[in-house]
Amino acid sequence: MNNTRILKVELGARSYPIRIGRSIAGLDTAFPESAGRSLRVVTDSNVEPLYLEALLGALSLTRDQVYVVPAGEASKTWDSAGKVLDWLLESRLSRDGCLIALGGGVIGDLTGFVASIYQRGIDFIQIPTTLLAQVDSSVGGKTGVNHARGKNLIGAFHQPISVVADTDTLATLPKRELLAGLAEVIKYGMLADGLLFEWLESNLDRILSLNPNSLAEIIERCCAIKARIVGLDERETGSGPRALLNLGHTFGHAIETYTGYTEWLHGEAVATGLVLAADLSARHGWITEAVAARCTALIARAGLPVAPPKGMTAEHFRDLMGLDKKVKAGKLRLILLRGLGDAVLSSDFEQDLLDETLAAACRTTS
Ligand code: NAD
Ligand code: ZN
């Protein structure tokens, strides 16, 4: 890979590198962790025609070492995991073998989950090909599949042995998927890195035009934040810092549930969730209205939604947020801002102010 930037997730014996660079064809040097290992690749039907050949060439692999699942969230199921496990057993991958996840968050979560249970757990490598996966899902070891009763309900913590993010793969990503990933990037700036937020304000156009250095810059800065937080709180225990990564997500999940997980992409729902979290923080006087307005303005400039879907009311939000996992002992806990780049998990927010935020947001769309 060219001009590779390297970070490390520090987790003792489970520590691993994140390499960020260009040109997937140079992958033979990009992860020494795979050398001499028996490898199997899992990818999806969209990524296969784009990047599989280059990967197979770089690692001298053949087609029979590849399993392709249909692209999309519908493949993140127990059933798909079972099919991949069947295939691994048929192809006699041994315990010292290693899986490679080539694709977006769906492939990373599915492959990581399979790796966590195949023969009681084998190694896996993440090659994320969406912006969301490069800045978020490929790092941190959360793996899993969905269940009819909800998203990500079946899973395991299983860290990869390395992550290789190739910014060139983003060139083929549909614009809407790129922007959904950008919402998570803005989230990182808002929750942990005010300078990243300012950098985004100044360099948004370079990101939208896929400038490779700018892409590498944001991926590195986001991964650095995630690596640090995961290093402090690998398993998201109680009110540990990992919960802060969910800034905007309680509102966002309500929107995703309301829209049935089909109309809005996750990142789009999170974008509006970030706007609401900033608004509520400003109503408490924890950040200024000017800071909240900057958050909304950046999200809008990125082409992301800043208001809930048409027809969604404050009542809908209250109902759907009541079901959220951040409800502990009957009290809703929200991640809010005490400053730009300074998020806190708060259970002492004012219910009246939350109602004001929801009423104002829903008024703008009805
Ligand atoms: P995805 O994997 O479905 O990818 C989005 C779409 O882009 C798919 O159609 C895919 O085929 C296509 N695609 C992927 N790379 C491409 C490329 N380079 N060029 C063209 N098309 C490409 O979705 P995602 O947004 O990457 O990930 C979402 C998933 O990640 C969800 O299941 C979510 O639950 C999970 N997630 C996990 C974590 C975690 O910590 N494990 C964190 C956030 C999200
Ligand atoms: Zn998210």
Side-chain angles (χ1 to χ4, degrees), residues 44 46 73 76 104-106 109 129-130 137 142 151 169 172:
D44 79 21
N46 285 341
E73 190 73 28
K76 221 179 90 172
V106 164
D109 282 12
T129 61
T130 64
S137 64
K142 277 192 187 175
K151 279 195 67 177
T169 60
T172 53

Side-chain angles (χ1 to χ4, degrees), residues 44 46-47 50-51 71-73 76 103-107 109 129-130 132-133 136-137 139 142-143 146 151-152 169-170 172-174 177 226 242 266:
D44 79 21
N46 285 341
V47 177
L50 296 169
Y51 303 112
E73 190 73 28
K76 221 179 90 172
V106 164
I107 289 300
D109 282 12
T129 61
T130 64
L132 181 134
D136 192 353
S137 64
V139 175
K142 277 192 187 175
T143 73
N146 302 325
K151 279 195 67 177
N152 298 322
T169 60
L170 302 180
T172 53
L173 193 64
E177 298 285 353
K226 184 142 187 194
R242 197 159 177 172
H266 170 73

